[in-house]
Amino acid sequence: MRYYWTIIRWAIRLHFLRWMRYRLDLLFWTLTIWLTIGIQAIFLSVVYHASGGAFFGYSGMQVVSFFGIALFANALALSCSISLITHLSRAVWRGDFDFWLLQPPALFVRIMTEDLGYLYYLPQAVVGAGLMLYSLPAIQWPLAFFVGFVAAVIEAGLVFLSGIPAIRWGKWDPYEGVWEYLQTARSIPIGHYASIMLWIASFGVLQYSLALLVLTNHFNALLLVLIAIILWALDLSLLSFFVRSYRSASS
């Protein structure tokens, strides 16, 4: 464990050094994220008022708490899994993945720490936490942060699930579709809506709606944890499969 903590510590240090070197580019990139968030907030507000306060069966404060959960969970998830979106397919194409397999640390740790996003997403996590504290009674704060963390684990698992096929098919770049989907599809809490098509369309962001259902006592928190465990078990199994079937970029 000491070895892995050392790897994580050095990854965080490298993250800060990269930020200082490319801070202007990263600042503009962060601003584009916040522009998307602002558009989503305006959309939520307009639709909520246009519907006369009956937004998919949720009150105004519940909608605010949903948005807070979405920001908080998305920030935690992408802080640790952004490297999977931005680096994995590139590493496979350039042959760097061969080096990842041959050199320590363990492959999973290597993938998750190749690039971190703490500085990019810290403001988003703070704003999301603030919205949860504002919209929920104090007695629900511990549960809100717990389900937000579990939702982040689920989201990171979904990112992992969608990104690791690049190990086998290097032309699959999750940045081309997964990234845009995660940044634009999190605006609507659908837990009280029975449309199967809407649930399918919202598959990648269902964890936010399920977390809100836990807070409104319509879903069991243990089931949310079970979903996270099953998802990560599938992720690690697929990682093992793709590594066994991997062909070197030099072959």
Side-chain angles (χ1 to χ4, degrees):
M1 289 302 298
R2 181 180 179 183
Y3 171 74
Y4 288 117
W5 279 116
T6 301
I7 294 297
I8 294 172
R9 185 175 71 248
W10 277 100
I12 293 174
R13 182 178 180 182
L14 179 61
H15 172 57
F16 276 83
L17 292 175
R18 282 173 172 167
W19 170 263
M20 293 302 297
R21 184 175 181 181
Y22 303 107
R23 56 185 178 272
L24 187 59
D25 292 340
L26 295 174
L27 178 62
F28 280 110
W29 187 65
T30 304
L31 288 175
T32 61
I33 295 175
W34 278 98
L35 179 62
T36 302
I37 292 173
I39 293 172
Q40 291 175 328
I42 294 173
F43 170 77
L44 276 174
S45 177
V46 170
V47 174
Y48 177 77
H49 288 93
S51 63
F55 190 73
F56 286 83
Y58 291 100
S59 67
M61 283 301 176
Q62 288 174 337
V63 173
V64 173
S65 64
F66 167 82
F67 198 55
I69 291 171
L71 292 180
F72 181 76
N74 181 253
L76 292 185
L78 289 183
S79 290
C80 301
S81 60
I82 186 65
S83 59
L84 193 68
I85 296 176
T86 58
H87 289 291
L88 184 58
S89 63
R90 191 185 314 165
V92 173
W93 266 102
R94 296 191 307 194
D96 294 342
F97 192 75
D98 297 10
F99 176 79
W100 292 11
L101 290 174
L102 296 174
Q103 299 293 327
L107 178 61
F108 176 76
V109 177
R110 166 82 71 173
I111 290 175
M112 300 302 281
T113 59
E114 181 68 18
D115 191 12
L116 300 175
Y118 296 142
L119 290 178
Y120 318 150
Y121 294 105
L122 179 60
Q124 186 173 319
V126 171
V127 171
L131 290 176
M132 288 192 291
L133 294 176
Y134 167 73
S135 60
L136 295 169
I139 194 173
Q140 283 194 308
W141 289 351
L143 180 60
F145 281 97
F146 173 74
V147 297
F149 175 78
V150 176
V153 172
I154 294 174
E155 180 162 338
L158 291 172
V159 171
F160 202 81
L161 187 67
S162 61
I164 56 175
I167 295 174
R168 182 64 180 83
W169 298 285
K171 292 183 178 181
W172 163 240
D173 186 358
Y175 193 83
E176 297 297 328
V178 177
W179 174 258
E180 289 82 355
Y181 178 80
L182 289 174
Q183 294 302 310
T184 58
R186 60 186 173 208
S187 297
I188 302 175
I190 63 169
H192 293 168
Y193 200 68
S195 172
I196 299 299
M197 295 305 297
L198 184 57
W199 280 75
I200 293 175
S202 303
F203 174 75
V205 290
L206 278 178
Q207 61 273 11
Y208 310 145
S209 295
L210 295 178
L212 183 59
L213 286 177
V214 172
L215 292 177
T216 57
N217 296 317
H218 290 90
F219 196 73
N220 194 313
L222 293 179
L223 289 178
L224 193 66
V225 173
L226 182 61
I227 291 172
I229 294 173
I230 293 174
L231 179 60
W232 273 101
L234 177 61
D235 285 340
L236 296 178
S237 298
L238 286 178
L239 176 63
S240 177
F241 170 77
F242 282 124
V243 168
R244 289 198 305 269
S245 63
Y246 172 71
R247 286 189 175 182
S248 171
S250 61
S251 62

